[in-house]
Amino acid sequence: MEDAESVSRLMDSTSSKILQLQKAFAELENQRAVTLNLKWKELEEHFHGLERSLKRRFHELEDQEKVFKTKVLKAREMLEEREAAVVAKEQASLDRLQKKRDAAVLDISTSLKKHRKAASSDTSDWKVQNGAPIVQEQITDDVTAPESCVEDPEDSYEDDTEVNSSSLLDKFFQDMDSEGLHKFISDNRKDLATIRQEIPRALRVAPNPASFVLQSLADFYSTDRPKFDGKKDSDLLGLRRTSIMLMECLSILLTDNHLNISEIITHDIKLQAKGIAEEWKPKLDALDTCSCSGNSLEAHAFLQLLATFRIALDYEEEFISQLIPMVSRRRQAADLCCSLGFSAKMPGIIQDLVNSGRHIDAVNLAFAFELTEQFNPVHLLKSYLGAAKKAASPIKPGNPPSNALPEVNDRELAALKATLKCIEEHKLEVLYPVDPIRKHILELEKIKAEKKKLSETTKPQPKRLLNTAATGYPMPSSASEKQFYPRVNERLPSYMYDRPYIYHESHGPPLVGPPVPYSLPPGHGNFFGNVYHYQTSPYLQ
C-alpha cells in the first residue's frame, strides 16, 4: 500500500517536472550556439504521452489488486465455512458416540438389575448334612445380621455400571489376551468404529503393547482351515482385518510425544517382528499384482508390519515398491507410503499405476501427495474412460461371440461409476463436468436391463420337457389320442416293457395279447423311465 501511494505522488509531480524542464529548455534555446531541430511542443507531447501511459497502467494494477483481494477474502470465508462444517460434524459424531455409550451403560445396568432380582428371588440354599439334603433359609429382613455380612445393593449397583466395553478392552490388554480380544471384536462388528477409537487408549494399560500386537498376528496365516481360501473364509478374513487394525492402533499410540518409542519397540520386539515378516514374505510371492486389484489384505498386513515396527530398512526398496500397487485402492495407502519413507518415490509409483491402467488409484495418490501438477487428474480420468470405452467397443467379426457383450458393458459401467465417484470426492466438477457421465451411466444401465429382459424371454424349455425329449417318448397331445411307448434305450433299467403296448384312454382290455407280468424294484413306486406316473390298474394286477 505504501509503495502504491509513493508511485501515485511521483506521478502527480510529473506536471511540475515538465514545467521545470520547459524553463530549462527555453534557457537552452536562448544560449544555443547552433540551431536545435527539436521543438518544445514535440517534447511536451512526448512526456505527456508517457504520463498518460503510466497512469493507465497504474490504474490497471490497482484494479487487479482489488480483484485479488476480493478472491482472497472469498477463499478465507470458504475456508471458515468448511472449518465450521467440520467442527459441526465432529461434534455431531461425538454426540452420537456419547448417546451410544449412555445406551450401552443403561443396557448393562438394566441387565445387572434384572440379574440381581433373579438372584434375590432364590430364597434357599441346598446343603447336605448326614447324607440327606436339607433346606437352609436365607437371611430375611426380620433377622438381624452384622453390617459386614450385609451387602449394600446401591453401592454394588454403582460399581457395576462401570463395566462397559472400555473396561472389557482394558481387561483383554491387561491380561495380554489377544485371542479373547479377537473374539470380542468379531462378536461386536457393528460397534467396530467405537472399538477402534478405544484401542489406542486401551493399549496403554497393556504390560507390553508391542508384544501383544505381535501375539495377535499368530493366526494370520492359519493352517486350521485347509479346506478354505483366506479370501472366502469370513472368520479368517475378520481375523486378518483385526490384526491390521491393531497394528494401525499401535502406530497411532507411538505418535504420542510423551512416550519413548525405543522402550516400546525394543530390539527384541524388532527381531520378533522381522521373524514374522520373514515367515510372511514367501507367501507374498504367490500374489499377483493385477489380480488383487490394489486391495490385497496380505500385502497391506506385510507393509503395515514393516511400518509399525520400524523394520522397513531391513528390506530392499525395490521389493517394497512392488508391494505398494497391491494396496493402492485401500484408504491407508498414502499413510503407509509416508510411514515407509516412500514420499520421494511416489512419482515413480504413480506412473507405474498409470501404465498398468490404474488411473483412479493414481489420481487419489496424486492428491494425497500434492502431485496434481505433474499428474493432471482430469487428463488421467479422461484417459481411463477412453480405455474403458475402447474395451467396450462392439464386437467385430472374428471376435468372441455376442454373449461376451454384457461382461464388457459391465466393465465400462464400473469405470464410469468409479470416475464419477473420484470427481465428486476431489471436487473436480468445475474442471470435469459430470452430467455427461451420469447420462452415459443411465444409458448403459438401460441397455443392461433390456439385455436381461431379452435373455429371460429366450430361456430354454423347462427341464421336465427336455428330459422327456431326451428319453425318446412323445408328449401326449390330447386325452383322446393313443399313446405309444417304444422300447427304452440301453441306459434305462431292464425292468421296462420288452415291446410297445397300446392303451385306450378308457383303460379297457389290452389290444395285443394278455398282460405281461412285471415287477419294479423297491422304492421305485409307480414311476417309469420316462418320468410319467401311472396308477396301478386292475388288468395289470
Side-chain angles (χ1 to χ4, degrees), residues 43 127 145 149 162 186 237 246 253 321 335 387 399 403 414 424 441 444 493 501 512:
L43 289 175
K127 290 187 178 181
C149 299
E162 300 294 331
S186 177
L237 190 63
L246 290 175
L253 177 64
S321 62
D335 294 337
N399 283 356
N403 56 8
E424 292 175 347
I441 290 174
L444 291 180
Y501 286 85
V512 184

Side-chain angles (χ1 to χ4, degrees), residues 495-497 518 520 524-534 540:
Y495 55 77
M496 296 300 300
Y497 292 108
Y518 67 95
L520 298 177
H524 189 277
N526 296 320
F527 285 91
F528 295 86
N530 59 358
V531 305
Y532 285 104
H533 180 256
Y534 296 90
L540 293 178

Side-chain angles (χ1 to χ4, degrees), residues 215-250:
Q215 289 178 15
S216 69
L217 306 179
D219 294 331
F220 191 86
Y221 286 98
S222 177
T223 57
D224 297 336
R225 302 174 175 87
K227 297 182 181 180
F228 296 95
D229 183 5
K231 296 180 181 178
K232 298 179 181 178
D233 186 355
S234 58
D235 293 338
L236 182 57
L237 190 63
L239 184 144
R240 289 180 175 181
R241 289 173 176 169
T242 302
S243 301
I244 293 174
M245 182 183 67
L246 290 175
M247 288 191 287
E248 291 174 350
C249 291
L250 180 59

Side-chain angles (χ1 to χ4, degrees), residues 23 64 67 120 183 228 251 253 280 379 386:
K23 292 179 181 179
Q64 292 179 2
V67 172
S120 62
K183 186 177 184 306
F228 296 95
S251 298
L253 177 64
W280 288 2
H379 176 72

Side-chain angles (χ1 to χ4, degrees), residues 171-313:
K171 180 173 177 55
F172 289 132
F173 285 103
Q174 287 174 352
D175 299 341
M176 299 289 284
D177 184 7
S178 60
E179 184 177 354
L181 179 64
H182 274 291
K183 186 177 184 306
F184 173 76
I185 294 176
S186 177
D187 295 340
N188 296 273
R189 280 287 171 185
K190 294 182 179 180
D191 301 327
L192 185 61
T194 304
I195 296 174
R196 183 186 178 88
Q197 293 177 354
E198 291 288 340
I199 287 179
R201 178 203 58 77
L203 272 169
R204 296 174 180 271
V205 303
N208 192 337
S211 178
F212 180 89
V213 174
L214 289 176
Q215 289 178 15
S216 69
L217 306 179
D219 294 331
F220 191 86
Y221 286 98
S222 177
T223 57
D224 297 336
R225 302 174 175 87
K227 297 182 181 180
F228 296 95
D229 183 5
K231 296 180 181 178
K232 298 179 181 178
D233 186 355
S234 58
D235 293 338
L236 182 57
L237 190 63
L239 184 144
R240 289 180 175 181
R241 289 173 176 169
T242 302
S243 301
I244 293 174
M245 182 183 67
L246 290 175
M247 288 191 287
E248 291 174 350
C249 291
L250 180 59
S251 298
I252 295 173
L253 177 64
L254 296 176
T255 57
D256 190 349
N257 297 326
H258 297 89
L259 295 177
N260 189 353
I261 298 178
S262 59
E263 293 180 357
I264 299 176
I265 309 296
T266 61
H267 180 68
D268 293 338
I269 291 294
K270 287 186 176 181
L271 290 178
Q272 295 178 30
K274 188 175 180 181
I276 295 175
E278 291 296 327
E279 182 182 352
W280 288 2
K281 185 179 177 182
K283 303 181 186 301
L284 299 176
D285 297 336
L287 296 177
D288 185 4
T289 306
C290 297
S291 62
C292 64
S293 301
N295 197 23
S296 172
L297 268 178
E298 294 84 351
H300 183 185
F302 184 85
L303 294 176
Q304 190 66 56
L305 179 67
L306 302 187
T308 301
F309 293 95
R310 274 66 170 173
I311 56 175
L313 296 177

Side-chain angles (χ1 to χ4, degrees), residues 238-451:
L239 184 144
R240 289 180 175 181
R241 289 173 176 169
T242 302
S243 301
I244 293 174
M245 182 183 67
L246 290 175
M247 288 191 287
E248 291 174 350
C249 291
L250 180 59
S251 298
I252 295 173
L253 177 64
L254 296 176
T255 57
D256 190 349
N257 297 326
H258 297 89
L259 295 177
N260 189 353
I261 298 178
S262 59
E263 293 180 357
I264 299 176
I265 309 296
T266 61
H267 180 68
D268 293 338
I269 291 294
K270 287 186 176 181
L271 290 178
Q272 295 178 30
K274 188 175 180 181
I276 295 175
E278 291 296 327
E279 182 182 352
W280 288 2
K281 185 179 177 182
K283 303 181 186 301
L284 299 176
D285 297 336
L287 296 177
D288 185 4
T289 306
C290 297
S291 62
C292 64
S293 301
N295 197 23
S296 172
L297 268 178
E298 294 84 351
H300 183 185
F302 184 85
L303 294 176
Q304 190 66 56
L305 179 67
L306 302 187
T308 301
F309 293 95
R310 274 66 170 173
I311 56 175
L313 296 177
D314 296 336
Y315 294 88
E316 297 180 359
E317 291 184 352
E318 183 178 359
F319 169 70
I320 298 177
S321 62
Q322 292 174 355
L323 296 179
I324 291 177
M326 296 184 182
V327 299
S328 57
R329 281 186 58 194
R330 304 187 71 81
R331 59 178 177 80
Q332 303 94 335
D335 294 337
L336 270 178
C337 293
C338 292
S339 301
L340 294 169
F342 273 70
S343 299
K345 299 182 179 297
M346 290 312 297
I349 295 173
I350 294 175
Q351 187 61 52
D352 291 340
L353 291 173
V354 173
N355 296 337
S356 60
R358 308 259 288 280
H359 297 70
I360 300 295
D361 299 345
V363 170
N364 293 332
L365 290 179
F367 272 100
F369 289 92
E370 299 180 355
L371 296 173
T372 52
E373 293 184 359
Q374 184 175 352
F375 299 94
N376 190 303
V378 176
H379 176 72
L380 290 177
L381 293 176
K382 289 183 177 179
S383 176
Y384 175 62
L385 283 184
K389 186 176 181 180
K390 184 178 180 181
S393 60
I395 293 179
K396 300 178 181 179
N399 283 356
S402 59
N403 56 8
L405 278 174
E407 180 182 354
V408 176
N409 183 43
D410 289 342
R411 191 185 310 166
E412 183 183 8
L413 186 60
L416 287 168
K417 290 181 178 180
T419 303
L420 179 62
K421 181 180 179 183
C422 184
I423 293 173
E424 292 175 347
E425 285 181 352
H426 298 295
K427 312 289 187 209
L428 297 173
E429 291 88 350
V430 177
L431 301 176
Y432 197 165
V434 296
D435 290 338
I437 298 178
R438 290 197 178 108
K439 183 178 180 181
H440 197 185
I441 290 174
L442 292 176
E443 291 176 353
L444 291 180
E445 288 180 342
K446 183 179 179 181
I447 294 173
K448 186 177 179 181
E450 291 177 353
K451 288 182 178 180

Side-chain angles (χ1 to χ4, degrees), residues 123-140:
T123 58
S124 61
D125 286 330
W126 289 88
K127 290 187 178 181
V128 178
Q129 183 176 0
N130 297 328
I134 62 172
V135 178
Q136 179 181 1
E137 297 294 333
Q138 288 185 342
I139 300 175
T140 61

